[in-house]
C-alpha cells in the first residue's frame, strides 16, 4: 500500500473517529473539521518521510487535537489582549463519560430535536461519514450550494443554541433515539448500495453503521427499536460477500457465501425484538430479511409470507419504496401481470419519479410477461436513472439477454 493509499484508507475508515475525538476537545464542529482536515494534510507531508504509523487513527487524532489545542490557546490569548471582545468560554479538557465513544456523542449531537430531520441526516452524513457536501447534496437530490447553506445553518444552530456535545440523559433518549436509528439505518443503506460511483458497496459506511448499532444496543439493550435495527443490519449484511463481483440480485447470489453466523445472531435479536410489544418497522424489515435467509434457494422463497410482512410494514411505515417492494413481492407470488398491476399506481408517485429501481422492477415483469419491446424501453429508462456503475452493468446485461431472445 502506498502512502497516498494509506491516507485514503485512513480517511475512509477513521474520519469519523478522528473528527469526533476532536469535537470532544473543541466543542466547535467547524473548528474540529478544520483541524481534522489539517491532520490529513499533515499526514500527506509526514508519512512519506517517516513512514505510515502503526496506528494511523491515533496519529491523526493526536495531530488534530494538538492543532485544536494550539488554536484554542491562541484564542485565549486574543481574548486577554482584547478584553472588550466578549466570547464564550471553551472547555478544553475532555470530560469523563460513561459512554466511551466519541462517534456516538457526535451522532446524538447531530440528531438533537431542535434540528429538522433533514438537517440531522445531512449533518450525520457530512460529519460522521465524511461524505463531501457534493455527495450529501446528491443523496438529497439538491444543488451543492443549497446543501452547503443547509449544513451551515445547522451547525450555526448547534453553536447558538449551545447544544451540548454528549449522550443525553436516559430520560431524554426517547426524544432522540428515533432519529438516531433512522440516521444509522440511512448510513448503512448508503453503504449497502452506493448511490453513485464504481463500487456497489461502501464497506466503511456499512461497518460504521453496524458498529454504531451494536454500541446503541449496549447502551439501550431493552429498546426494541434498537434491537430490531441491529437485527436488520446483521441479516442484510450477511449477504455482503455474495454481492461481490456484480451479483447484485438476490436471485443470483451464491447462498453458500452468506454469513451464517451473522444470520444466526440477527435472527436471535429478531426474536427478542418481536417478543414483547407491537413490532417496530425495523423488526418487520428484519423479519423480511430473515425469510430470505431461511430460503434454501430463490425459487423456494415464501413470497406469501413476505407479502404479508410488507402489508404490516406499510401500516407501520407508509413509504413509496415499501409499496414498490410489496409490488415486487406480489409479482413474485402471483405472476408478472399481477406485479405490473401492483406497480402501475406507483408510476404517478412523485417520490419515485427518479427512482431507477421502479423502472428495473417494471422491466423485469414485462420481460417475464413476454413483452420484449416494452421491457427494453423500461430498461433504457432505468439506465438514465441509475448512477452506480455496478448496477448499470446489471441493467446492460439484462438488455443484452432480452435482445438475444
Amino acid at each position: 500500500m502506498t502512502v497516498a493509499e494509506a491516507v485514503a484508507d485512513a480517511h475512509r475508515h477513521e474520519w469519523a473517529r478522528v473528527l469526533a475525538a476532536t469535537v470532544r476537545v473543541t466543542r466547535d464542529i467547524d473548528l474540529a473539521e478544520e483541524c481534522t482536515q489539517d491532520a490529513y494534510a499533515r499526514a500527506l507531508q509526514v508519512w512519506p518521510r517517516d513512514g505510515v504509523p502503526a496506528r494511523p487513527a491515533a496519529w491523526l487524532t493526536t495531530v488534530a487535537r494538538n492543532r485544536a489545542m494550539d488554536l484554542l490557546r491562541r484564542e485565549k490569548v486574543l481574548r486577554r489582549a482584547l478584553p472588550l471582545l466578549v466570547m464564550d468560554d471553551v472547555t478544553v479538557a475532555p470530560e469523563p463519560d460513561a459512554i466511551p465513544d466519541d462517534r456516538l456523542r457526535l451522532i446524538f449531537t447531530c440528531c438533537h430535536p431542535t434540528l429538522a430531520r433533514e438537517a440531522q441526516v445531512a449533518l450525520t452524513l457530512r460529519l460522521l461519514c465524511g461524505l463531501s457536501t457534493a455527495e450529501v447534496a446528491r443523496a438529497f437530490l439538491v444543488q451543492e450550494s443549497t446543501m452547503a447553506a443547509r449544513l451551515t445553518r445547522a451547525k450555526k444552530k448547534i453553536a447558538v443554541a449551545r447544544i451540548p456535545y454528549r449522550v443525553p440523559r436516559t430520560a431524554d433518549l426517547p426524544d432522540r433515539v428515533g432519529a438516531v436509528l433512522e440516521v444509522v439505518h440511512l448510513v448503512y443503506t448508503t453503504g449497502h448500495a452506493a448511490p453513485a460511483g464504481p463500487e456497489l458497496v461502501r464497506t466503511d459506511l456499512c461497518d460504521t453503521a453496524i458498529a454504531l448499532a451494536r454500541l446503541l444496543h449496549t447502551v439501550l439493550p431493552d429498546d426494541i427499536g434498537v434491537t430490531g435495527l441491529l437485527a436488520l443490519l446483521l441479516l442484510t449484511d450477511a449477504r455482503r460477500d455474495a454481492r461481490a463481483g456484480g451479483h447484485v440480485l438476490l436471485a443470483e447470489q451464491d447462498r453458500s457465501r452468506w454469513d451464517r453466523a451473522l444470520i444466526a445472531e440477527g435472527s436471535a435479536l429478531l426474536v427478542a425484538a418481536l417478543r414483547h410489544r407491537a413490532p417496530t418497522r425495523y423488526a418487520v424489515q428484519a423479519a423480511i430479511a430473515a425469510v430470505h435467509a431461511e430460503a434454501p434457494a430463490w425459487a423456494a422463497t415464501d413470497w406469501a409470507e413476505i407479502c404479508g410482512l410488507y402489508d404490516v410494514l406499510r401500516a407501520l411505515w407508509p413509504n413509496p419504496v415499501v409499496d414498490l417492494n410489496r409490488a415486487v413481492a406480489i409479482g413474485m407470488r402471483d405472476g408478472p401481470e399481477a406485479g405490473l398491476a401492483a406497480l402501475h399506481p406507483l408510476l404517478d408517485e412523485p417520490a419515485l419519479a427518479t427512482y431507477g429501481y421502479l423502472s428495473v422492477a417494471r422491466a423485469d415483469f414485462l420481460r417475464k410477461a413476454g413483452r420484449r419491446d416494452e421491457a427494453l424501453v423500461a430498461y433504457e429508462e432505468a439506465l438514465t436513472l441509475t448512477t452506480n456503475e455496478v448496477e448499470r452493468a446489471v441493467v446492460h446485461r439484462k438488455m443484452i439477454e432480452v435482445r438475444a431472445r
Side-chain angles (χ1 to χ4, degrees):
M1 181 182 290
T2 66
V3 169
E5 290 170 340
V7 175
D9 184 70
H11 187 271
R12 287 173 67 90
H13 293 94
E14 306 296 349
W15 168 268
R17 198 181 301 277
V18 177
L19 175 64
T22 309
V23 172
R24 187 176 171 86
V25 171
T26 65
R27 309 298 172 124
D28 180 321
I29 290 175
D30 280 331
L31 177 59
E33 271 196 288
E34 178 186 333
C35 294
T36 302
Q37 288 166 355
D38 286 349
Y40 279 92
R42 183 74 176 149
L44 286 171
Q45 296 173 341
V46 174
W47 291 6
R49 183 193 66 209
D50 298 345
V52 177
R55 298 171 59 206
W59 189 95
L60 290 161
T61 301
T62 300
V63 171
R65 292 178 67 156
N66 287 344
R67 173 67 173 155
M69 298 282 279
D70 185 46
L71 291 176
L72 290 172
R73 276 193 292 268
R74 290 185 191 179
E75 182 183 89
K76 191 173 180 179
V77 170
L78 178 63
R79 277 190 288 170
R80 285 176 180 165
L82 299 173
L84 295 179
L85 180 60
V86 178
M87 300 177 74
D88 296 333
D89 289 333
V90 177
T91 302
V92 173
E95 63 182 25
D97 200 305
I99 309 299
D101 190 281
D102 291 321
R103 295 170 301 171
L104 191 59
R105 273 184 281 274
L106 184 56
I107 196 171
F108 270 107
T109 301
C110 293
C111 293
H112 194 277
T114 61
L115 299 178
R117 183 58 57 91
E118 279 195 346
Q120 294 172 346
V121 176
L123 262 183
T124 304
L125 289 174
R126 175 73 186 92
L127 299 178
L128 202 69
C129 303
L131 298 187
S132 68
T133 302
E135 290 172 319
V136 179
R138 191 158 53 233
F140 280 81
L141 303 178
V142 299
Q143 296 293 318
E144 183 176 351
S145 57
T146 302
M147 181 52 66
R150 188 178 298 174
L151 290 168
T152 299
R153 284 197 300 271
K155 287 189 281 189
K156 187 175 182 181
K157 190 164 187 176
I158 287 175
V160 171
R162 296 176 182 271
I163 292 174
Y165 172 66
R166 60 174 171 76
V167 178
R169 298 174 303 170
T170 303
D172 297 328
L173 285 176
D175 289 338
R176 298 200 207 176
V177 73
V180 171
L181 295 182
E182 190 171 321
V183 167
V184 172
H185 185 231
L186 182 63
V187 170
Y188 183 83
T189 55
T190 303
H192 181 71
E199 299 176 348
L200 176 64
V201 178
R202 287 277 308 271
T203 57
D204 54 323
L205 297 185
C206 292
D207 291 343
T208 295
I210 291 174
L212 288 170
R214 286 191 184 281
L215 193 58
L216 284 167
H217 189 247
T218 301
V219 176
L220 300 167
D222 298 324
D223 187 301
I224 59 171
V226 174
T227 305
L229 176 64
L230 181 55
L232 171 61
L233 300 193
L234 296 181
L235 286 163
T236 306
D237 207 58
R239 307 177 203 142
R240 188 194 295 188
D241 287 348
R243 298 171 76 231
H247 297 292
V248 181
L249 306 175
L250 198 56
E252 299 176 354
Q253 292 174 17
D254 177 359
R255 296 181 181 223
S256 69
R257 298 181 64 184
W258 288 2
D259 189 326
R260 292 294 159 185
L262 284 186
I263 290 173
E265 185 182 359
S267 297
L269 288 164
L270 174 60
V271 170
L274 295 174
R275 185 171 294 160
H276 298 296
R277 289 183 261 171
T280 65
R281 66 144 165 134
Y282 300 113
V284 178
Q285 288 177 276
I288 293 170
V291 173
H292 283 298
E294 291 167 359
W298 174 251
T301 304
D302 187 345
W303 291 109
E305 177 71 12
I306 289 179
C307 286
L309 288 168
Y310 271 119
D311 287 340
V312 175
L313 185 57
R314 287 177 83 202
L316 291 171
W317 187 40
N319 184 301
V321 175
V322 173
D323 290 338
L324 169 58
N325 292 334
R326 174 178 171 272
V328 171
I330 289 172
M332 298 306 300
R333 181 190 64 185
D334 300 335
E337 293 295 349
L340 288 168
L343 287 174
H344 185 72
L346 303 180
L347 300 178
D348 296 325
E349 170 57 59
L352 298 177
T354 59
Y355 198 62
Y357 294 141
L358 173 57
S359 300
V360 171
R362 187 165 171 273
D364 286 344
F365 284 137
L366 287 167
R367 176 185 177 184
K368 289 180 180 176
R371 294 157 65 174
R372 176 177 174 276
D373 292 342
E374 293 174 87
L376 284 172
V377 172
Y379 282 133
E380 289 281 4
E381 182 179 85
L383 274 181
T384 66
L385 300 174
T386 303
T387 51
N388 182 281
E389 293 177 19
V390 176
E391 291 180 331
R392 285 179 61 83
V394 171
V395 176
H396 267 299
R397 175 170 54 84
K398 290 186 173 191
M399 294 179 70
I400 291 171
E401 291 170 354
V402 172
R403 288 187 178 120
R405 290 186 177 178

